[in-house]
Amino acid sequence: MTHEAQLIENEAIGEQLSRLVLPSGLTVVVFPRPGFKKTFATFATHYGSIDNAFRDPKSGQVVEVPDGIAHFLEHKMFEKKGGGDAFDDFARFGASSNAYTDYTSTTFLFQTTSHVLDNLGILLDFVQEPYFTDANVEKEKGIIEQEIRMYLDMPGDRLHSNLMKALYVNHPVRIDIAGTVESIRTITPEDLYTCYRTFYHPSNMVLLVIGDIDPQRVFDYTWENQKAKEYGNQSPITRIYPDEPHRVNEKHREQEMVVSMPLFVMGYKDTQTGLVGRELLRHEMTYGLMWQMLCGKSSPLFQNLYQQGLINDRFYARYGASTTFGFSTVGGETPDPKALEAQLVDGLQQAPLREEDLARAKKRELGEFIALFQNPEELAYAFNHLFFRQIDIFDYVDTILSIGLDDIEQARQVHLQESERASSVIKPISS
């Protein structure tokens, strides 16, 4: 059986992918990697921790669900009706499996060196056969409560979480992905089924396979698997987010934990939201290049801070965004958070932006992008992240080449606003 797929190529980097959209709306993508011993596959849905208010596609009614439910649902999907779980099924065919939830998506995955189609069937079937009962939901609450408490004891996690609460007033990106102990205790099987029906419809999902396999075999197998399942048409999902002011919620947050040296991070809230597709890609890449030029290891600012002993090799500066939020984070370990913050605020405004630095930053970005295609796990993460924001992964090269020094300077002037800046510190426990 042959199904007409779309072949998409990028001659500049010598890469290609094949894509097929099934009648159910599911997008199937294959990156053929001749000679690769491992095959890596993901089944992802555009549903993350910030999607806690939406309109039911069938009734049109507004639904509000407990914080952390996307992560809770990810956990529950592995359990099978009749006993056992999907992990055991994958193990029987020599595959390892996992899953993760972030702010905007949930991803299920496996990697294997054999029985690719058998494992692909397991992946499709367990994600598309939910099974929630009062008993198994209550049992899961105890497991996730332990996970939440573990995160509460992790300094790096608290550093980021406190920054999000300082930066954002209303947007759910300020809420921990796993929710709180209190919020997950209120989750019911009915809540899980409502979210599942809304966000796990094939039209809101993408199946990705990377490995030494003929794309047509994947398309034929997936077509037959999905043909046996009934999915009606679904209206576009309406997600509901509260209005978010430009100002930050708090300027500074501190917490004492068991650390040998203070952890510091400074954040800038991006108020330019609502972007999608190539416009969002260009925006994100411009900000990423800006941070490389301002704070990269070859920058004068990094060298100055390093020589003073205010930072070490773990210092970082990066930007991340979706369609409804965006933020930059700058920080790391430091013996003097106040001194580091003061020098960063001043140095970021004063640091020179030069053409040769931009050329070097672009070269590095392009090199890292090309290297993605030799790392299936990183490629899958990047592809899914772009896909759900309506970005073509092969637009990357042309987009980065189009960014000029004026774009970088404008990004600095727009983004590095004092009213949109906050900081977070984890300090050693006082004696």
Side-chain angles (χ1 to χ4, degrees), residues 367-394:
E368 290 181 354
F369 174 70
I370 292 170
L372 277 179
F373 292 87
Q374 302 305 312
N375 186 326
E377 189 167 358
E378 292 295 328
L379 176 59
Y381 181 84
F383 177 87
N384 290 334
H385 182 61
L386 296 172
F387 180 85
F388 289 135
R389 298 182 300 158
Q390 302 175 41
I391 298 171
D392 184 336
I393 193 169
F394 288 150

Side-chain angles (χ1 to χ4, degrees), residues 344-376:
L344 278 172
V345 171
D346 182 61
L348 292 173
Q349 296 290 347
Q350 302 300 323
L353 295 173
R354 302 175 299 187
E355 287 285 358
E356 57 265 35
D357 296 329
L358 176 58
R360 184 165 53 249
K362 284 185 177 182
K363 185 176 181 180
R364 177 182 174 184
E365 282 292 317
L366 288 171
E368 290 181 354
F369 174 70
I370 292 170
L372 277 179
F373 292 87
Q374 302 305 312
N375 186 326

